[in-house]
Amino acid sequence: SFLDPWLLFPLWHLAFSQILMTYHMPLLSVYAEHTFGADVVWSGTVQLVSTAVVCISSPLLGMLIDKFGPCKMMLASCVFLPLVYVCVGPLPLLTFLAPSRTQLIISLAFLGLAVPMACISALPVMFNVYRAAHHGHLPTWVVNSLVSLYCAAFPAGIFIGTTVSGFIAPYASFGWSTGILGLFFIAESIVCAIYCFKVMQMDKKIEKPKKGANAIKYTTISKGESDPEG
């Protein structure tokens, strides 16, 4: 079934990346004004840093996925996302990293690079998992269903991130709240890394297409169509 939790796990990773992408946004302007004495224009403009990097880096990351595979890109996101997010505040435990405008801009830029690592890789990873479980076949109706769920994961993560930040803001500083969220993400990253290694092992077991009657066919079959192999 396309609702198999194993198949849909990348959607959780994608949604969590959107939580990290948006958690700080409602708080960032107030934080910058109080901490750096930044004016409204600077405080608003700095939020464009991460989104601008997402736009620029996404095509390049897509080419890297074609070369190295989506699971390796998802693994990279497991490493970089928590490391970057503890630096956004920064986490007060990181005594070597003092809050500054430069520190904030660089952290947001790296966040804009790490988030699409999780987002772009999620869909091809799900396709690979389904193919591995169904002898190389990927029906069109499954593609449509997974793409729909993939699109829904973005607003789900954004909603959670921006809503939770509003509830936590009165009780924790910007540095502590973003830093602790980054630390929590380490646990999710460990689970996701294990998942990626398992999927890569599954991918190796799929027979590559060869010429001949016994070759496994990598096809898309519309719902209602018959399987040519019975």
Side-chain angles (χ1 to χ4, degrees):
S1 171
F2 74 93
L3 294 179
D4 181 5
W6 174 261
L7 172 64
L8 300 181
F9 180 84
L11 296 181
W12 161 253
H13 188 63
L14 186 159
F16 211 114
S17 74
Q18 292 305 301
I19 294 175
L20 297 186
M21 183 72 177
T22 58
Y23 173 86
H24 58 276
M25 287 185 173
L27 315 173
L28 191 56
S29 295
V30 175
Y31 166 75
E33 290 173 22
H34 286 205
T35 305
F36 313 129
D39 57 26
V40 176
V41 175
W42 192 92
S43 300
T45 305
V46 74
Q47 302 208 44
L48 295 175
V49 173
S50 55
T51 51
V53 175
V54 169
C55 293
I56 296 170
S57 64
S58 292
L60 301 176
L61 293 174
M63 290 187 288
L64 290 176
I65 287 177
D66 287 339
K67 184 174 182 180
F68 298 106
C71 283
K72 291 181 180 178
M73 184 62 70
M74 187 170 284
L75 272 173
S77 73
C78 293
V79 175
F80 286 112
L81 275 171
L83 287 179
V84 169
Y85 212 71
V86 296
C87 297
V88 170
L91 180 67
L93 297 176
L94 303 178
T95 55
F96 59 89
L97 191 59
S100 67
R101 295 191 185 197
T102 303
Q103 165 268 326
L104 181 61
I105 291 173
I106 293 175
S107 298
L108 292 177
F110 276 104
L111 181 64
L113 180 63
V115 166
M117 290 181 181
C119 298
I120 300 173
S121 59
L123 196 57
V125 166
M126 289 191 293
F127 289 164
N128 288 349
V129 171
Y130 191 92
R131 287 193 184 101
H134 295 82
H135 308 289
H137 292 297
L138 183 61
T140 301
W141 69 270
V142 173
V143 174
N144 295 338
S145 300
L146 292 179
V147 170
S148 299
L149 294 172
Y150 173 82
C151 293
F154 283 90
I158 293 170
F159 172 78
I160 295 172
T162 53
T163 303
V164 170
S165 68
F167 283 104
I168 295 180
Y171 306 103
S173 67
F174 184 80
W176 277 111
S177 63
T178 55
I180 291 175
L181 182 59
L183 293 178
F184 279 146
F185 191 77
I186 294 176
E188 192 276 343
S189 293
I190 293 173
V191 175
C192 186
I194 295 172
Y195 175 86
C196 289
F197 283 118
K198 292 287 187 180
V199 172
M200 285 190 287
Q201 290 176 355
M202 291 171 60
D203 288 343
K204 291 179 181 179
K205 295 179 181 179
I206 301 178
E207 184 181 344
K208 299 301 180 182
K210 297 177 181 179
K211 294 182 179 180
N214 296 325
I216 291 178
K217 298 178 182 179
Y218 288 76
T219 59
T220 57
I221 306 170
S222 300
K223 190 172 185 180
E225 294 180 5
S226 59
D227 187 337
E229 294 185 358

